[in-house]
Amino acid sequence: MNIRRFPMTREISLLVLVYLYVPVVVLVSYSFNANRTATVWSHASLDWYGRILANPAIQSATQNSLVLALCAATAATVIALLAALATARAFPSRGGVEAVLNMPLILPEIVVAVATLMLFVALGVQLGLGTMILAHTAFCIPFAYLPIRARLEGMNQSYGEAAQDLYANRFRSFRRVTLPLLWPGIMAGFTLAFVTSLDDFLTSFFLSGPGTTTLPVYIFSSIKAGITPEINAISTVMLVISVLLVSLSFFLGRLRR
Amino acid sequence: MTGNPTLRRLGLLTPALMTIAVLIGVPLMLLFWISLLQKGGSSGVDWGAAPSLGNYIRLVWEEDFDGTMILNTSYLVILLRSILQAAVTTGLSLLFGLPVALWMAGLSRGQRDMMLLLITIPFWTNLLVRNYAWLIILRDDGWLSQAINFVSPGGPIQLLYNDLAVAIGLTYSFLPFMILPLYTVFEKFDWRLLEAAHDLGATRSRALRRVLIPIAMPGIAAGSLLVFIPCLGAFVTPALLGGGKTLMLGNIIQMQFGASRNWPFGAALAVVLLGLMLFVMVCMAIWRNRRVK
Amino acid sequence: MTDSSAVSIRSVSKGFGRGAAAVRVLEDVSVEIGQREFFTLLGPSGCGKTTLLRLIAGFETADQGKIIIEGQDVTQAPPFRRPVNTVFQNYALFPHLTVEQNVGFALVEQQMPADKIRARVGESLEMVRMQSFARRRPAELSGGQQQRVALARALAPRPKVLLLDEPLSALDLKLRKEMQIELKLLQAEAGITFLFVTHDQEEALTLSDRVAVMQGGRILQMGAPRDIYETPTHRFVADFIGDINLIEAEALPGNAIRLAGGAQIVVPHQAQGKVTLAIRPERARIVAPDAGHLQARVVHTAYLGTALVHKLALSDGATFLLRQSDLDGTQPPIGSTVGLSLPADSLRVLLQ
């Protein structure tokens, strides 16, 4: 008898995997369906991918999404890196500081989204890419922070001391030792922040202005207007991008310590 | 760089704390204030109105033509449905998540990493897209409906736009939140404790109930919190898979900022959602404290 | 003397934490370490030895007192402005750099030209016989090899003083013995001051020119290994280093001391009333039951190859260890009563 194996857990686990992946498979396979009705299969085709490439609305939404994710993830990663360097060593209010940093993870997104919307409107700020970048930066901070913090945690404090002992001042020690060792964590954090921003729907839904639709917002309004195979194709593209980026971040996080 | 560690720490933390304070802290305070005002003006809020609890009273009582207050259950029903949906989703996630986490912990290292990746990927892919995938499956002319119709003919079956569809979508959305903390507990679990339990005469199921589950309790609590809270504020799933009769809190909040355009009332609903969340978290904290003692 | 010291520590105190949680780790410590000396700080964990080393390296700052290295006051200087280098307990080799990049790390910081760096790195690796591993990464080396690279890295910038923080504690016994000899040879070859921290008394006695025994943030006794072993002044020092027998006795006027059995011994002392006498197991001798200073019963005898160790019970019940190197001599049977002769020049009167 293997002490670690419990009856039925294997069967249930496989069932859960099916549950998790069947919708994805269905979505992806329908995106290659030539038939207009989106649910009746005729034959395989790349028609819909050609259509989304040619659709100017999707092009501009894609561009907005990428610019938004790039700006928000970069800002969030820099901010999170600084914060992680501060919280690497214990200090009296560290628990409180970390709770504040992780607040965006706990708060219901819809609440923060409408609250931010009202703030921008009350201040008379024009809604658009700028307001979305600000809001996305805030909720991306914990996603960038956690991998960097985890990497720092696993890093021996004596590396920094050794560098200073060998005549590197604080800045040189950071550049020659801490930063290279931290790099996989920083990249993992950036990637997760990027994916989070790219996939975000709710905040963008409330904060996008005229002409600054993002891809998820475009998809939502398209679904509401009626299901088309085009949505399947664009959704598949989003899915593939997320999976690639998350796998990359997972790999970076496991990189040699 | 300054030599004083406290000053240096403060300098490093300022950007993060300022960003969160300005973009999350200040908006939440504003939200609370607006929930006490009335609608009006061009921006949707009558800034000059005297603060009152009118919006909160409106949740339960409605003013009749002749000025008497009568009970209005429509919002209460939505509130109750949100809580029930969140509870059902948490229960389903636990029911399926526990065996998965248990099974993963017993795998070899390589297999575990693979499973971890497989469980994490849906968690990171687009929530909207994942719910949309269910929309395709559950549609009237979708293959699931057709398959059921083929087995037991009797016209197309309505699978979409009901509480079940929403529960399926919510569980699908948040199941990884349950599996991951449970797995973390089981991964660290000292399996010799189970051997000891068997040695002391406990059968497999008794050892599970008396040793494994009690030790996994913190993970179960953390997972439940992580599923329950986002479910309470869910918007996308009920918006796509639910119909007009399965509205949840998130939907009616959004309506106040869309078609109905009543921001102060929407703000009040958001505050109620925050309050509910806070209540659940405080209960959990009390339970945890008591456990420690 | 002071001007020629390699390291001079003057009345240094250090505490951690504030308010009720405050802990004093060093209390008014003063040490002078000479040029080319192999000096060891010895003590149990928590005695303050590592903190003292970290104060000299510059990782911590003293609350009070002065630290002077080669005539230069470095009390407030950061680690990168001190002419000392450290061999860390866990080596702290940079995992992202190769062996030669690790060894050349300080030389790059000192802006040495590239060809000189290459030459110096080569020399340093040769000193520890690691030339053939120059292109490897630390993760590809064994513990002993990492230890050598850490030594080469700390020696490459030719520091005035080398600080070693329990560098051998992670190695197994056999390797540790080998590295002890190598360390000693390396010090002679490099010709610099070594400041060594350890909790292993045998290691301290083997390696050092001088040893400082620390406890509770103070230096209890300082001196050559032989002095520390033969003439401990504190009960703690006597107990911490090697095996020792402690005998409660009474100081009489003059230089006499009265033992429990009534016998008197003349030992120079300034104490009054109750005192503790210390004697090493190899210094006491077994004599006829009525001839010694004390009577004891043989409880157990262990054969150690090079000696016999007798476990004896004194009349008051206390245990007394006696080491007999003469394996061919007469061996008292278990249970028999013997006399113990305590040579006066081997007895020490201890401070508490």
Side-chain angles (χ1 to χ4, degrees):
Chain A
M1 175 175 97
N2 187 334
I3 198 95
R4 295 187 172 212
R5 298 219 183 269
F6 292 87
M8 292 301 290
T9 55
R10 182 163 171 271
E11 288 70 19
I12 295 174
S13 298
L14 296 180
L15 202 74
V16 164
L17 280 184
V18 168
Y19 173 60
L20 285 179
Y21 283 91
V22 158
V24 175
V25 172
V26 168
L27 175 68
V28 172
S29 50
Y30 273 125
S31 76
F32 294 106
N33 182 7
N35 198 297
R36 168 83 245 174
T37 55
T39 43
V40 181
W41 183 266
S42 51
H43 63 271
S45 120
L46 289 171
D47 278 6
W48 305 112
Y49 289 93
R51 291 233 193 156
I52 59 172
L53 280 179
N55 184 334
I58 291 181
Q59 281 171 6
S60 101
T62 308
Q63 195 188 336
N64 286 333
S65 275
L66 289 177
V67 170
L68 168 61
L70 198 67
C71 294
T74 307
T77 307
V78 171
I79 291 170
L81 171 64
L82 297 178
L85 289 171
T87 54
R89 285 212 211 180
F91 58 95
S93 49
R94 179 164 73 169
V97 167
E98 292 212 301
V100 172
L101 290 177
N102 290 327
M103 226 163 69
L105 286 180
I106 306 160
L107 289 169
E109 192 184 352
I110 193 163
V111 174
V112 179
V114 299
T116 316
L117 167 70
M118 289 191 289
L119 175 74
F120 285 138
V121 170
L123 293 176
V125 180
Q126 175 77 43
L127 293 180
L129 208 51
T131 52
M132 284 196 286
I133 290 174
L134 284 175
H136 278 224
T137 301
F139 73 67
C140 282
I141 288 175
F143 291 95
Y145 173 78
L146 292 172
I148 298 177
R149 178 65 213 286
R151 186 92 192 167
L152 263 175
E153 192 96 306
M155 214 168 97
N156 205 318
Q157 184 198 307
S158 55
Y159 291 138
E161 288 184 349
Q164 292 202 32
D165 185 62
L166 298 165
Y167 311 115
N169 60 31
R170 281 213 185 79
F171 174 73
R172 298 277 304 166
S173 146
F174 178 74
R175 222 191 64 77
R176 288 188 71 194
V177 177
T178 315
L179 200 57
L181 287 175
L182 215 49
W183 197 244
I186 295 172
M187 286 313 292
F190 174 82
T191 315
L192 290 187
F194 189 87
V195 174
T196 308
S197 166
L198 197 67
D199 283 344
D200 175 76
F201 161 68
L202 260 184
T203 303
S204 304
F205 182 58
F206 284 102
L207 294 182
S208 58
T212 56
T213 308
T214 65
L215 216 40
V217 175
Y218 175 84
I219 293 175
F220 184 78
S221 43
S222 300
I223 296 171
K224 282 291 171 189
I227 296 169
T228 66
E230 252 183 331
I231 305 176
N232 296 346
I234 186 71
S235 297
T236 303
V237 172
M238 289 226 64
L239 218 62
V240 170
I241 293 174
S242 305
V243 170
L244 285 182
L245 288 176
V246 171
S247 306
L248 176 73
S249 143
F250 195 76
F251 172 73
L252 284 170
R254 309 233 137 198
L255 221 59
R256 187 192 64 231
R257 294 208 170 236
Chain B
M1 288 223 182
T2 155
N4 183 329
T6 311
L7 274 179
R8 191 168 60 237
R9 187 156 53 228
L10 206 66
L12 290 170
L13 283 173
T14 301
L17 295 181
M18 280 301 286
T19 309
I20 289 177
V22 170
L23 290 166
I24 293 177
V26 173
L28 286 183
M29 285 191 276
L30 187 70
L31 177 87
F32 191 71
W33 174 245
I34 289 178
S35 78
L36 301 174
L37 301 178
Q38 294 303 312
K39 75 169 172 178
S42 58
S43 67
V45 181
D46 177 9
W47 293 100
S52 75
L53 291 173
N55 290 316
Y56 295 95
I57 294 168
R58 238 191 91 190
L59 278 170
V60 191
W61 282 286
E62 201 171 29
E63 202 167 338
D64 210 351
F65 304 111
D66 54 1
T68 51
M69 303 297 265
I70 55 166
L71 194 67
N72 175 4
T73 53
S74 55
Y75 294 115
L76 284 178
V77 166
I78 292 170
L79 195 67
L80 199 66
R81 184 185 297 116
S82 298
I83 296 172
L84 276 178
Q85 276 290 11
V88 167
T89 305
T90 308
L92 284 174
S93 300
L94 189 61
L95 192 67
F96 289 102
L98 195 72
V100 175
L102 207 53
W103 182 65
M104 280 170 70
L107 293 175
S108 75
R109 202 186 150 78
Q111 289 172 315
R112 264 197 255 181
D113 282 359
M114 189 64 211
M115 272 302 287
L116 214 52
L117 189 63
L118 283 177
I119 300 288
T120 327
I121 283 177
F123 165 78
W124 287 110
T125 49
N126 198 308
L127 188 73
L128 184 66
V129 168
R130 281 188 289 146
N131 279 284
Y132 168 67
W134 276 104
L135 183 62
I136 301 179
I137 293 177
L138 297 177
R139 280 170 65 159
D140 286 356
D141 53 354
W143 58 265
L144 189 61
S145 175
Q146 285 174 354
I148 293 173
N149 200 26
F150 183 78
V151 176
S152 64
I157 298 156
Q158 175 84 17
L159 294 171
L160 263 182
Y161 312 129
N162 54 41
D163 286 324
L164 181 68
V166 175
I168 290 176
L170 285 177
T171 308
Y172 187 68
S173 304
F174 301 119
L175 183 59
F177 287 101
M178 180 65 86
I179 296 178
L180 294 176
L182 282 177
Y183 167 73
T184 314
V185 172
F186 290 141
E187 196 198 17
K188 282 185 270 177
F189 183 72
D190 182 355
W191 296 91
R192 286 172 306 183
L193 292 178
L194 273 192
E195 288 175 350
H198 291 316
D199 184 57
L200 295 170
T203 61
R204 236 181 146 65
S205 62
R206 297 282 300 163
L208 193 75
R209 274 222 307 279
R210 292 186 62 197
V211 178
L212 198 71
I213 302 288
I215 288 175
M217 232 27 218
I220 293 175
S224 302
L225 207 63
L226 286 174
V227 174
F228 191 84
I229 286 177
C231 275
L232 271 184
F235 167 74
V236 171
T237 308
L240 289 186
L241 305 177
K245 288 181 199 150
T246 59
L247 291 176
M248 287 176 65
L249 254 174
N251 305 95
I252 52 168
I253 292 174
Q254 188 269 328
M255 282 174 183
Q256 309 311 315
F257 290 85
S260 316
R261 203 170 170 77
N262 188 343
W263 288 17
F265 186 56
L269 289 167
V271 170
V272 168
L273 175 52
L274 269 185
L276 258 178
M277 182 198 96
L278 218 66
F279 176 74
V280 174
M281 286 176 73
V282 166
C283 288
M284 199 64 102
I286 290 172
W287 173 81
R288 211 173 283 165
N289 269 343
R290 216 176 268 170
R291 216 179 113 86
V292 170
K293 283 171 194 164
Chain C
M1 172 69 198
T2 308
D3 289 334
S4 67
S5 291
V7 180
S8 170
I9 295 168
R10 299 181 188 166
S11 308
V12 164
S13 294
K14 174 73 181 169
F16 290 109
R18 255 179 269 167
V23 190
R24 305 285 292 164
V25 182
L26 289 175
E27 289 276 9
D28 192 25
V29 170
S30 294
V31 191
E32 298 286 329
I33 300 167
Q35 299 286 351
R36 299 182 183 197
E37 194 173 16
F38 198 123
F39 190 93
T40 299
L41 294 171
L42 172 66
S45 61
C47 72
K49 58 188 193 303
T50 294
T51 304
L52 185 52
L53 193 83
R54 290 173 61 81
L55 282 171
I56 297 168
F59 304 137
E60 314 282 356
T61 314
D63 297 339
Q64 276 156 41
K66 270 192 176 176
I67 296 172
I68 292 157
I69 300 173
E70 295 288 331
Q72 183 194 347
D73 185 344
V74 295
T75 314
Q76 297 299 326
F80 47 89
R81 297 228 175 83
R82 299 186 184 208
V84 298
N85 291 120
T86 309
V87 177
F88 290 82
Q89 185 170 11
N90 53 7
Y91 316 137
L93 294 177
F94 304 123
H96 61 302
L97 301 179
T98 61
V99 164
E100 59 184 354
Q101 284 170 331
N102 262 286
V103 175
F105 191 94
L107 310 177
V108 172
E109 288 307 319
Q110 291 174 326
Q111 291 169 349
M112 199 181 264
D115 51 332
K116 278 201 173 166
I117 291 182
R118 217 171 301 123
R120 182 78 72 84
V121 167
E123 272 170 46
S124 306
L125 284 176
E126 204 180 323
M127 236 173 163
V128 294
R129 293 181 283 114
M130 287 291 290
Q131 309 94 298
S132 48
F133 296 91
R135 297 285 158 85
R136 300 265 190 104
R137 288 194 190 257
E140 299 167 303
L141 302 179
S142 72
Q145 290 168 335
Q146 290 185 23
Q147 165 72 74
R148 278 169 208 209
V149 175
L151 265 169
R153 183 177 74 176
L155 286 171
R158 306 219 167 126
K160 299 283 202 298
V161 180
L162 189 71
L163 308 176
L164 303 106
D165 183 10
E166 307 229 10
L168 307 180
S169 61
L171 305 178
D172 63 47
L173 187 66
K174 191 160 173 288
L175 203 52
R176 194 153 68 219
K177 297 274 181 214
E178 278 174 34
M179 284 305 296
Q180 283 177 6
I181 297 166
E182 267 187 58
L183 265 185
K184 194 73 187 162
L185 292 174
L186 206 60
Q187 195 226 354
E189 192 183 338
I192 58 175
T193 309
F194 273 36
L195 177 51
F196 193 86
V197 161
T198 185
H199 64 269
D200 181 336
Q201 40 107 0
E202 196 186 324
E203 194 167 275
L205 297 184
T206 314
L207 290 172
S208 320
D209 297 322
R210 274 199 305 155
V211 177
V213 183
M214 294 186 68
Q215 192 218 1
R218 293 171 192 276
I219 292 180
L220 294 184
Q221 192 176 359
M222 194 158 30
R226 194 181 175 108
D227 295 338
I228 300 274
Y229 185 80
E230 299 283 353
T231 324
T233 51
H234 289 70
R235 189 177 180 136
F236 177 83
V237 177
D239 216 11
F240 189 69
I241 297 171
D243 289 325
I244 198 140
N245 294 301
L246 300 174
I247 304 162
E248 304 306 326
E250 194 187 342
L252 300 176
N255 277 335
I257 283 184
R258 183 161 62 209
L259 298 174
Q264 291 195 7
I265 307 181
V266 175
V267 184
H269 68 85
Q270 279 92 47
Q272 277 184 350
K274 293 211 173 295
V275 293
T276 302
L277 289 180
I279 184 165
R280 296 283 175 195
E282 64 272 20
R283 295 288 175 181
R285 281 197 315 276
I286 289 178
V287 292
D290 300 330
H293 300 100
L294 288 171
Q295 277 197 347
R297 195 167 47 81
V298 181
V299 176
H300 177 73
T301 296
Y303 171 68
L304 296 185
T306 53
L308 292 170
V309 170
H310 302 292
K311 191 177 162 193
L312 310 171
L314 299 179
S315 48
D316 61 353
T319 300
F320 192 99
L321 290 180
L322 190 144
R323 191 181 169 97
Q324 181 187 347
S325 323
D326 175 19
L327 294 175
D328 299 326
T330 47
Q331 225 188 87
I334 308 274
S336 65
T337 299
V338 295
L340 287 177
S341 161
L342 312 175
D345 59 353
S346 304
L347 279 172
R348 307 286 169 243
V349 181
L350 297 181
L351 303 169
Q352 289 301 316

